[in-house]
């Protein structure tokens, strides 16, 4: 492909004698990756059931390369949320932010969710993830991916980071800022971005990036950690942004990032990490990990704008009796007839634009309860008392995902009529309603197989 002249000059200056090796990567095929969702499947289990000829991404414990012709987005396991399709080097930032169980975590520029879904999975149902994106359309895609992965302890917001900073000072244990950038590391995979680069270039983004990191620093608790990343090679968008942040926020300091033999040091800031495609099987990334001085502490609970803890209607409670997991009364939250289950721990302020507050359980309709798609994806098969389990190779699996009614009388007899948790090879896909061996399809229309 033809690269912008100004870009080639900057890369020659950056890479010097390595430039020709870098240029040769454009003649090689793009490496495609999937990252398994450890909330639903372990590495050992995945390697036993994988229908693809995958190869491990060596620096990502749950990352795998796959072959383009295998099309994992067209397999039922994708609809079961067993994996997320993600370029291998883009898996790195979430893997290097040291999230621990119980953390309060922010992904500031989260859409479409590649990094947020990994951060949420690593919380293992504890703590809280706030996934934010300023674009409402992109935030909707983010919400779908979080729910597809079965993550339940999440808030999805669509806010300007400046407003978030005002509402949530010193609130988060860990923050990821995967900043919008000129995308130089994506030219190989998406050649059209080279033209966009000519129109905008690094200077278009650096001022935005500086605003983002300052807002993130203000929201970080003492003792907390912030990871900044981009998919560009530009020093203006990478090391210069970090140097700016260190000058403006002297209570932050650079930390070492968990190493890998292919990582390159930052230019002038050796603790930063650069991923180059001629050194690793990934398209390119930059990362810097920073820590805020002081002792970590539990934040003061923010003023809660949600009327949680009210008793839920009888028909909702009756349905929930079919679930084996415990629920805490003070975490139920209703908006009109929609029922949510809020994350535990710190509450969120009400003066923000939310797309989702916790786990969407379902909706009360005319004195009956219809469970939501998000609830199905958050469950394990054994957590609901009546299930229909379809083999992945069964043609009815595809028909279910297309929204069709299917006949299931030959399958294992469910314990009761009515609502069934429909699974593929033991992994939940959605809901159906059983009557006389016929399963009425309740798979969410917006997610159907096209």
């Amino acid at each position: 492909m033809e690269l912008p002249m100004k870009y080639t000059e900057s890369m020659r200056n950056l890479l010097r004698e390595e430039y020709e090796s870098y240029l040769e990567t454009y003649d090689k095929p793009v490496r495609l990756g999937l990252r398994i969702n450890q909330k639903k499947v372990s590495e050992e289990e995945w390697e036993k059931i994988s229908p693809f000829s995958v190869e491990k991404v060596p620096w990502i414990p749950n990352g795998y390369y796959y072959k383009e012709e295998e099309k994992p987005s067209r397999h039922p396991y994708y609809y079961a949320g067993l994996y997320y399709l993600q370029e291998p080097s883009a898996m790195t930032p979430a893997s290097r932010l040291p999230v621990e169980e119980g953390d309060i975590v922010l992904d500031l520029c989260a859409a479409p969710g590649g990094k947020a879904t990994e951060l949420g999975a690593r919380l293992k149902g504890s703590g809280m993830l706030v996934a934010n994106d300023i674009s409402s359309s992109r935030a909707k895609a983010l919400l779908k991916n979080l729910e597809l992965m079965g993550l339940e302890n999440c808030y999805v917001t669509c806010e300007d980071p400046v407003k978030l900073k005002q509402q949530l000072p010193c609130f988060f244990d860990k923050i990821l800022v995967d900043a919008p950038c000129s995308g130089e590391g994506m030219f190989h995979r998406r050649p059209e971005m080279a033209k966009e680069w000519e129109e905008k270039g690094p200077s278009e983004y650096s001022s935005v990036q500086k605003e983002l990191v300052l807002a993130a620093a203000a929201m970080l608790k003492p003792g907390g950690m912030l990871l900044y990343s981009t998919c560009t090679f530009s020093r203006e968008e990478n090391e210069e942004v970090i140097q700016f942040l260190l000058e403006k926020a002297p209570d932050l300091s650079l930390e070492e990032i968990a190493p890998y033999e292919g990582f390159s040091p930052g230019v002038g800031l050796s603790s930063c990490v650069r991923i180059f495609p001629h050194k690793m099987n990934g398209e390119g990334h930059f990362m810097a990990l920073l820590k805020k001085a002081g002792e970590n502490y539990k934040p003061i609970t923010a003023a809660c704008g949600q009327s949680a803890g009210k008793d839920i209607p009888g028909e909702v409670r009756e349905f929930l009796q079919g679930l084996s997991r415990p629920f805490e009364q003070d975490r139920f939250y209703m908006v009109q007839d929609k029922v949510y289950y809020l994350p535990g721990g710190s509450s969120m302020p009400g003066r923000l634009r939310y797309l989702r507050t916790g786990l969407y359980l379902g909706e009360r309709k005319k004195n009956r309860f219809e469970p939501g798609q998000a609830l199905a994806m958050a469950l394990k098969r054994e957590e609901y008392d009546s299930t229909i389990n379809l083999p992945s190779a069964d043609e009815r699996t595809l028909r279910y995902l297309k929204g069709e009614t299917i006949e299931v009388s030959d399958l294992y007899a469910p314990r009761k009529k009515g609502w069934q948790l429909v699974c593929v090879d033991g992994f939940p896909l959605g809901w159906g309603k059983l009557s006389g061996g016929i399963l009425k399809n309740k798979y969410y229309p917006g997610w159907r197989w096209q």
Side-chain angles (χ1 to χ4, degrees):
M1 63 172 288
E2 185 175 348
L3 295 169
M5 184 176 296
K6 189 176 179 181
Y7 171 70
T8 60
E9 290 174 358
S10 68
M11 291 303 290
R12 279 185 188 277
N13 291 333
L14 179 67
L15 294 173
R16 300 183 185 279
E17 65 273 8
E18 296 179 19
Y19 176 71
E20 294 302 325
S21 297
Y22 163 73
L23 206 58
E24 288 171 6
T25 64
Y26 282 90
D27 297 323
K28 298 177 182 179
V30 173
R31 296 303 303 270
L32 303 171
L34 64 83
R35 192 197 70 250
I36 61 165
N37 177 10
Q38 294 184 95
K39 185 181 187 298
K40 291 178 176 280
V41 62
S42 68
E43 296 162 49
E44 294 78 12
E45 186 178 7
W46 170 251
E47 290 175 10
K48 290 177 183 177
I49 68 171
S50 172
F52 318 117
S53 52
V54 293
E55 171 193 350
K56 283 295 291 283
V57 176
W59 70 95
I60 304 293
N62 56 331
Y64 296 82
Y65 298 106
Y66 70 88
K67 296 178 180 178
E68 185 174 8
E69 61 270 19
E70 293 183 304
K71 300 187 184 303
S73 64
R74 305 297 287 175
H75 193 280
Y77 287 171
Y78 176 81
Y79 289 79
L82 298 196
Y83 49 81
Y84 187 98
L85 302 182
Q86 190 173 30
E87 191 276 313
S89 65
M91 299 177 189
T92 317
S95 77
R96 265 47 183 189
L97 180 62
V99 169
E100 301 173 347
E101 292 182 44
D103 276 348
I104 310 299
V105 181
L106 170 66
D107 188 344
L108 187 58
C109 311
K115 298 169 180 68
T117 49
E118 171 67 6
L119 298 174
R122 287 171 58 201
L123 286 170
K124 298 181 180 180
S126 68
M128 182 171 79
L129 171 68
V130 178
N132 179 75
D133 203 275
I134 196 169
S135 163
S136 59
S137 59
R138 286 171 55 83
K140 289 174 184 176
L142 165 66
L143 171 61
K144 177 188 173 180
N145 284 322
L146 290 168
E147 292 189 334
L148 183 64
M149 296 295 113
L151 301 179
E152 53 204 86
N153 54 326
C154 303
Y155 289 91
V156 180
T157 57
C158 179
E159 278 294 353
D160 186 312
V162 172
K163 185 172 181 181
L164 279 181
K165 177 185 72 172
Q166 294 168 347
Q167 297 289 314
L168 297 165
C170 298
F171 190 78
F172 296 97
D173 299 290
K174 308 288 165 55
I175 299 178
L176 177 65
V177 181
D178 185 51
C181 68
S182 59
E184 295 170 352
M186 299 175 69
F187 288 179
H188 186 197
R189 186 160 53 99
R190 293 179 55 192
E192 71 276 7
M193 291 197 69
K195 186 175 181 180
E196 292 181 24
W197 187 94
E198 286 189 283
E199 295 172 356
K200 294 183 179 180
S203 59
E204 181 83 9
Y205 293 93
S206 62
S207 59
V208 174
Q209 293 156 351
K210 290 173 181 177
E211 289 180 6
L212 289 171
V213 293
L214 286 178
M219 290 185 276
L220 191 65
K221 291 161 50 176
M225 302 190 81
L226 183 159
L227 193 139
Y228 173 80
S229 66
T230 72
C231 59
T232 192
F233 303 121
S234 161
R235 281 175 285 186
E236 186 177 353
E237 300 177 70
N238 293 329
E239 288 90 352
E240 290 181 21
V241 171
I242 297 304
Q243 192 62 58
F244 167 84
L245 177 59
L246 291 170
E247 292 169 2
K248 295 292 184 180
D251 55 347
L252 293 180
S253 59
L254 277 169
E255 297 283 306
E256 296 295 326
I257 291 175
Y260 172 71
E261 60 184 356
F263 288 171
S264 298
V267 179
L269 294 173
S270 59
S271 296
C272 300
V273 164
R274 285 176 169 269
I275 295 176
F276 289 111
H278 61 291
K279 293 188 173 184
M280 299 170 68
N281 283 323
E283 295 301 311
H285 239 77
F286 171 87
M287 292 173 293
L289 181 64
L290 303 105
K291 184 174 183 178
K292 198 171 194 177
E295 294 295 321
N296 207 320
Y297 65 92
K298 292 295 179 184
I300 298 171
T301 301
C304 183
Q306 300 145 348
S307 53
K310 291 185 177 179
D311 194 31
I312 54 175
E315 54 270 30
V316 180
R317 193 168 297 281
E318 181 182 358
F319 176 86
L320 295 180
Q321 287 176 354
L323 301 180
S324 60
R325 61 167 57 189
F327 290 93
E328 299 174 19
Q329 173 64 36
D330 62 355
R331 291 170 60 184
F332 289 115
Y333 166 50
M334 289 191 67
V335 178
Q336 297 177 343
D337 288 320
K338 290 182 167 61
V339 186
Y340 302 86
Y341 191 64
L342 299 176
S346 299
S347 58
M348 291 283 286
R351 298 175 297 279
L352 296 173
R353 287 185 293 172
Y354 292 96
L355 271 70
R356 182 65 82 240
T357 52
L359 175 63
Y360 175 54
L361 298 179
E363 185 174 6
R364 184 189 185 204
K365 294 184 177 180
K366 297 180 179 177
N367 297 319
R368 57 186 172 83
F369 179 71
E370 289 197 3
Q373 180 70 29
L375 174 60
M377 301 308 293
L379 293 173
K380 296 179 180 178
R381 179 187 177 186
E382 61 270 19
E383 289 182 313
Y384 187 64
D385 65 1
S386 198
T387 64
I388 298 289
N389 191 36
L390 297 164
S392 58
D394 193 315
E395 54 90 20
R396 287 173 294 187
T397 304
L398 181 56
R399 289 176 54 205
Y400 172 76
L401 290 171
K402 289 182 175 180
E404 298 177 16
T405 296
I406 55 177
E407 203 275 333
V408 294
S409 57
D410 61 312
L411 298 174
Y412 171 74
R415 298 192 183 113
K416 64 183 182 183
K417 295 180 181 180
W419 289 105
Q420 309 295 316
L421 182 63
V422 182
C423 303
V424 56
D425 295 340
F427 299 103
L429 288 173
W431 298 105
K433 210 164 187 181
L434 186 67
S435 179
I438 302 297
L439 188 74
K440 186 177 180 182
N441 201 304
K442 295 293 184 178
Y443 188 66
Y444 181 60
W447 291 17
R448 288 177 183 168
W449 186 294
Q450 299 296 319

